[in-house]
């Protein structure tokens, strides 16, 4: 078989050398005054900051702050500021591509539709619909996520659709649903400045939700105290009152230890527990054996500090806990989140200003993307796909017989495993770069090689798309419109700034056209995204994520509307559980017992060091977009391995030395960055790069049994000093896209 990435070669030649890019009309166009401003939101993280894009003709050429948008009040982080550089990048796909023995060839949109229809139909006839898997993503507007879920189930008829949020929000989602009956951040960020004690677990707020830091500083200004739990001393830890350098994968021991102290010191809110929760007795008993000394032995935080944290949290009149992937990317990610919820419930901290807990959602539409049916277990409105009433409702809205609606399918990593095992034969993927973002990249690469048909919709030829048989040139966020739900559950409007260039098409059009070609046109009558939204409103009606009362006009006028919003005269729900009722039938919170267990890749004498992976401020996810934006690349040009001076000293490693990091699966060679801000038994590598330096060459495929999230945050490794890789310049070039990163231009903006 031809080596699949070689198919990119003709495209490479077309674009020429690294960094020579000048947009049509030249860079100085942006300096001229003849632009219009489009109010919209950032295309990157879940904070969904308001931004005004400067548009000239059909190009985004810059931005201006949108100061009256209440969440960020004009503030932006480096990614938001530089996002406009991605649109005119020469790697932007302008036409569809077909793999041929000579490499990718550009083909017409009609031809691409024809090929996709023919291949999907043939595979469905030969192996049945479940042999086709669909991957979606949470960077897309909610209408596209909804459309893709319907496409999978109605046009293709497969149960196997899942999305990249399976690598992201599902541990938190599963836990909040189990305990509180709803998967949404219960409190808005504006509650943070109101609290007396804020416990931040596994969230690098300053780099990954930069705008949220201003809320934390306001809390500090108001006299609130900050506790940070992280194996790395992240930027916000510098201003923390208490920093707990937890051993990777052991937060549950710390949280059980804290609960133990809270019980022991009589800080439990018994009245609250009696009237608002079930399951407390069993939870209390489960913490009995976790005295601070026992907890300390497991989690590596001194017992006195566990006590201090518990007393600070337990004695505060108002306390909050917030968390992100640091406690969620684990094979016990759901338990970790449940333990945070238990801590808040036990102290009666729920459903009031400055009291509660929430997850910081990751992707731009990480929240909206998990509500309306691109998850394998879910129908629109955050309904369960196994609930007979939900199935009846959705089948009615979609105009299909209820029996034809597939049941629950495989999750994202399970789909890749099934492809590897030869059980799934075709993959159609929109907004997902699994070769960089799934664990154990060698396994992913082998799986992609086995596909009989692999179709992709993207606007760049991502590392995964380089393995495709067919690539549709899709749309960037600025070429689309629709809604997203921010990390707070605030539904906001993305406004279209420009049209897709060349023969690129909006994603929604591609999926709709394909549904028509597959013979299901009557169920996909849309001529605009607004029509999809109007259907979504009805589909979500009566569900948990009820959007029925939300209109595009309201969203614009009210600076976003928080769901649930069941009717047009409903104000939206800023804070959940304010009436003391949770989203279970009995109105109570269902506390869950959590059991400590080891990670799926524990250290041994051969692999004695913990490896954890995550992010840096200037790069985003698999990096397809940000690795092409020169000023962001300049801020953090390549992956490095953070290592503590003590460990570095033992291994004879100095700052800048090349090190080989080896796990039970593979090795990666990067430069060492010797820092005092990490535990001496742990190293950290950010994961935004593809190829031989991708952190996911090292990670393992152990999943949380309930959420099916991979354990990105803890692997066992060894580290040794080595030589730079032989083909360093080739590796670097591949990392910055085909045409290289767009360079910074002094004096612009
Ligand atoms: N700059 C930037 N911002 C982003 C993104 C990006 O790629 N780049 N991605 C967005 C997305 S999709 C997401 S999901 C969020 C992620 O946001 P975060 O979850 O805040 O980011 P991570 O770097 O994945 O991990 C957070 C922290 O977890 C710590 N950690 C590692 N192991 C453990 C552990 O066992 N216990 C604890 N307590 N902490 C641990 C790491 O040291 C790290 O500081 O960021 C969003 N924002
Ligand atoms: N080791 C390790 N691995 C991780 C993580 C970690 O912390 N450590 N974090 C995990 C997390 S939290 C996440 S969220 C995942 C993210 O992993 P991915 O979802 O794979 O990352 P993205 O870079 O968002 O990939 C999305 C692709 O979709 C394209 N895209 C973006 N927007 C659109 C759109 O509107 N339409 C279309 N058609 N395409 C679009 C982009 O160009 C890109 O190629 O990675 C996970 N992987
Ligand atoms: S904080 Fe997130 S949404 Fe705001 S500008 Fe930065 S990346 Fe964009
Ligand atoms: Mo994420």
């Amino acid at each position: 078989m031809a080596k699949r990435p070689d198919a990119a070669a003709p495209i490479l030649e077309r674009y020429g050398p690294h960094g020579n890019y000048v947009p049509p009309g030249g860079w100085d166009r942006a300096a001229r005054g003849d632009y219009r401003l489009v109010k919209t939101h950032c295309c990157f993280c879940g904070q969904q900051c308001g931004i005004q894009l400067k548009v000239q003709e059909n190009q985004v050429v810059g931005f201006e702050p949108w100061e009256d948008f209440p969440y960020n009040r004009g503030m932006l982080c480096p990614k938001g500021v530089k996002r406009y550089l991605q649109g005119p990048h020469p790697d932007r796909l302008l036409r569809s591509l077909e793999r041929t023995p000579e490499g990718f060839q550009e083909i017409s949109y009609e031809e691409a539709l024809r090929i996709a229809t023919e291949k999907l139909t043939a595979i469905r006839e030969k192996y049945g619909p479940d042999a086709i898997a669909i991957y979606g993503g949470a960077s897309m507007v909610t209408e596209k996520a909804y459309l893709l879920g319907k496409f999978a189930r109605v046009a293709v008829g497969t149960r196997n659709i899942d999305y990249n949020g399976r690598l992201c929000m599902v541990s938190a989602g599963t836990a909040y649903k189990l305990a509180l009956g709803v998967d949404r951040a219960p409190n808005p960020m504006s509650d943070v400045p109101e609290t007396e004690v804020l416990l931040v677990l596994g969230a690098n707020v300053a780099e990954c939700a930069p705008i949220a830091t201003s809320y934390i500083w306001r809390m500090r200004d108001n006299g609130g105290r900050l506790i940070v739990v992280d194996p790395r001393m992240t930027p916000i830890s510098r201003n923390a009152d208490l920093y707990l350098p937890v051993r990777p994968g052991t937060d549950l021991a710390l949280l059980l230890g804290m609960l133990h102290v809270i019980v022991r010191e009589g800080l439990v809110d018994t009245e609250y527990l009696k009237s608002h929760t079930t399951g407390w007795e069993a939870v209390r008993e489960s913490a009995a054996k976790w005295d601070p000394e026992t907890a300390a032995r497991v989690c590596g935080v001194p017992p006195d500090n566990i006590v201090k944290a518990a007393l600070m949290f337990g004695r505060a009149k108002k306390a909050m806990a917030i968390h992100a992937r640091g406690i969620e990317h684990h094979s016990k990610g759901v338990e970790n989140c449940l333990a945070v919820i238990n801590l808040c419930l036990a102290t009666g901290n729920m459903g009031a200003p400055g009291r509660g807990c929430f997850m910081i959602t990751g992707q731009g539409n990480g929240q909206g993307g998990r509500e309306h049916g691109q998850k394998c277990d879910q129908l629109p409105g955050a309904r369960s796909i196994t609930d007979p009433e939900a199935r009846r409702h959705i089948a009615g809205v979609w105009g299909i017989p209820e029996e034809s609606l597939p049941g629950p399918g495989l999750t994202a990593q399970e789909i890749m495993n099934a492809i590897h095992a030869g059980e799934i034969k075709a993959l159609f993927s929109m907004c997902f770069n699994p070769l960089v973002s799934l664990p154990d990249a060698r396994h992913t690469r082998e799986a992609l090689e086995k596909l009989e048909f692999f179709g992709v919709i993207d606007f760049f030829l991502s590392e995964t798309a380089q393995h495709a048989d067919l690539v549709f040139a899709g749309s960037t966020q600025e070429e689309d419109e629709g809604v997203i739900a921010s990390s707070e559950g605030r539904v906001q409007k993305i406004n279209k700034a420009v049209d897709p260039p060349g023969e690129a098409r909006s994603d929604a059009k591609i999926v709709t056209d394909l549904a028509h070609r597959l013979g299901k046109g009557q169920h996909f009558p849309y001529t605009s995204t607004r029509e999809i939204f109007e259907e979504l409103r009805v589909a979500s009606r009566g569900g948990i994520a009820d959007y029925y009362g939300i209109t595009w006009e309201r969203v614009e006028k009210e600076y976003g509307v928080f769901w649930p919003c069941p009717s047009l005269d409903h104000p939206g729900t800023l804070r959940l559980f304010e009436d003391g009722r949770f989203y279970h039938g009995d109105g109570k919170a269902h506390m869950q017992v959590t059991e400590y267990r080891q990670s799926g890749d524990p250290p041994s004498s051969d692999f004695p060091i913990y490896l954890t992976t995550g992010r840096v401020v200037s790069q985003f996810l698999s990096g397809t977009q940000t690795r092409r934006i020169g000023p962001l690349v300049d801020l953090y040009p390549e992956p490095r391995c953070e290592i503590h001076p003590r460990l570095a000293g033992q291994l004879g490693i100095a700052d800048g030395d090349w090190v080989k990091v080896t796990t039970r699966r593979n090795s990666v060679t990067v430069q060492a960055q010797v820092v005092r801000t990490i535990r001496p038994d742990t190293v950290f590598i950010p994961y935004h790069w593809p190829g031989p330096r991708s952190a996911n060459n090292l990670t393992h495929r152990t999943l949380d049994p309930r959420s099916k999230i991979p354990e990105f945050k803890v692997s066992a490794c060894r580290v040794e000093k080595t030589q730079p890789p032989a083909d360093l310049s080739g590796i670097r070039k591949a990392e910055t896209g085909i045409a290289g990163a767009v360079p910074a231009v002094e004096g612009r903006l």
Side-chain angles (χ1 to χ4, degrees), residues 182 184 367 371-372 380-383 393 489 491 533 536-551 554 561-568 570 572-573 576 583:
V182 56
R184 196 207 98 176
Q367 178 63 52
E371 297 163 0
H372 297 291
R383 291 177 160 98
H393 172 73
V491 178
F533 182 74
L536 181 160
R537 281 179 61 210
V538 176
S540 75
R541 189 175 195 178
I544 295 170
D546 192 334
Y547 277 41
Y548 187 66
I550 303 178
T551 62
R554 274 193 73 179
V561 180
F562 292 79
W563 70 258
C565 180
S567 62
L568 288 169
H570 188 285
T573 313
L576 304 179
Y583 281 55

Side-chain angles (χ1 to χ4, degrees), residues 139-141 144 164-165 167-168 325 329 363 430-434 436-438 457-460 462 474-477 480 507 613-615 620-625 687 695-696 699 712-713:
S139 292
M140 306 190 293
V141 293
K144 288 198 275 184
N164 59 13
L167 315 180
C168 184
R325 307 308 83 74
H329 277 158
Q363 290 160 281
M430 166 154 100
C431 197
F432 198 158
N433 188 8
V436 181
S437 58
L438 285 182
I457 309 180
D458 208 315
F459 43 80
F460 286 132
S462 72
S475 46
T476 61
Q477 190 234 36
D480 261 325
D507 294 333
T613 62
R615 300 161 160 75
F620 192 66
L621 303 180
S622 70
T624 321
Q625 294 163 266
Y687 89 101
N696 276 324
T699 50
F712 293 121
K713 288 293 184 273

Side-chain angles (χ1 to χ4, degrees), residues 225-248:
R225 286 172 298 162
L226 176 64
I227 309 173
V228 175
V229 182
D230 198 304
R232 297 161 61 227
M233 197 180 259
T234 58
I236 59 160
S237 326
R238 290 181 210 137
N239 289 26
D241 297 273
L242 190 57
Y243 164 62
L244 308 179
V246 68
R247 181 175 285 136

Side-chain angles (χ1 to χ4, degrees), residues 50-308:
I51 185 171
Q52 303 195 74
L53 295 181
K54 262 186 186 175
V55 183
Q56 276 178 334
E57 292 158 26
N58 199 42
Q59 224 184 94
V60 179
V61 294
F63 77 97
E64 274 185 14
W66 177 6
E67 274 153 359
D68 53 334
F69 190 75
Y71 182 75
N72 61 309
R73 302 201 172 280
M75 290 181 286
L76 295 165
C77 85
K79 293 182 298 304
V81 166
K82 297 298 178 194
R83 61 145 318 164
Y84 70 92
L85 288 169
Q86 74 169 341
H89 194 282
D91 284 357
R92 174 72 169 86
L93 296 175
L94 302 177
R95 301 192 72 197
S96 303
L97 303 173
E98 183 195 13
R99 169 182 305 282
T100 71
E102 288 77 47
F104 280 125
Q105 298 297 331
E106 294 188 331
I107 54 171
S108 71
Y109 177 61
E110 288 298 315
E111 179 65 359
L113 282 175
R114 190 194 62 73
I115 296 170
T117 309
E118 188 184 289
K119 299 280 185 188
L120 292 174
T121 309
I123 286 172
R124 190 169 53 184
E125 274 170 15
K126 192 163 165 201
Y127 304 104
D130 291 342
I132 300 173
I134 311 282
Y135 267 165
S139 292
M140 306 190 293
V141 293
T142 307
E143 289 83 348
K144 288 198 275 184
Y146 169 86
L147 177 67
L148 197 67
K150 183 175 177 186
F151 173 79
R153 288 158 183 138
V154 177
V156 178
T158 180
R159 65 188 181 97
N160 291 320
I161 167 157
D162 209 43
Y163 79 129
N164 59 13
R166 187 65 62 184
L167 315 180
C168 184
M169 296 315 303
V170 287
S171 290
T174 308
Y176 280 68
K177 185 93 177 57
L178 267 171
L180 311 175
V182 56
D183 169 16
R184 196 207 98 176
N187 299 67
M189 197 60 83
S190 55
D191 271 6
V192 167
E194 307 279 314
T195 198
E196 283 177 17
V197 170
L198 180 69
L199 174 64
V200 179
L201 303 116
N204 182 358
V205 180
E207 295 201 67
C208 299
I211 296 308
T213 43
S214 72
Y215 290 86
I216 298 182
W217 301 154
R218 268 185 261 162
M219 177 212 59
R220 300 282 280 118
D221 290 346
N222 293 342
R225 286 172 298 162
L226 176 64
I227 309 173
V228 175
V229 182
D230 198 304
R232 297 161 61 227
M233 197 180 259
T234 58
I236 59 160
S237 326
R238 290 181 210 137
N239 289 26
D241 297 273
L242 190 57
Y243 164 62
L244 308 179
V246 68
R247 181 175 285 136
T250 66
D251 295 82
L252 190 51
L254 172 73
L255 289 161
L256 285 163
M258 285 177 68
L259 188 61
H260 178 101
V261 176
I262 283 171
V263 172
R264 194 177 71 190
E265 301 295 321
L267 298 171
V268 166
D269 188 339
T270 342
E271 268 317 298
Y272 183 86
L273 288 169
K274 212 183 294 164
S275 46
H276 295 288
T277 69
T278 63
W280 165 242
E281 281 308 311
V283 168
R284 186 175 55 80
E285 270 166 39
S286 72
K289 60 175 181 280
W290 288 96
D291 57 83
E293 289 71 27
T294 306
R297 271 194 297 279
V298 177
C299 74
V301 173
D304 288 356
N305 283 349
I306 298 178
V307 174
K308 235 185 244 172

Side-chain angles (χ1 to χ4, degrees), residues 339-361:
V340 173
I341 295 170
N342 286 343
L343 209 56
C344 290
L345 289 169
T347 49
N349 280 303
M350 231 9 129
R355 307 188 77 184
C357 60
F358 65 89
M359 70 295 261
I360 307 178
T361 287

Side-chain angles (χ1 to χ4, degrees), residues 9-33:
I11 301 289
L12 255 159
E13 280 158 26
R14 188 178 81 192
Y15 289 129
H18 174 110
N20 278 348
Y21 175 66
V22 178
W27 280 116
D28 60 343
R29 272 176 49 152
R32 301 202 310 254

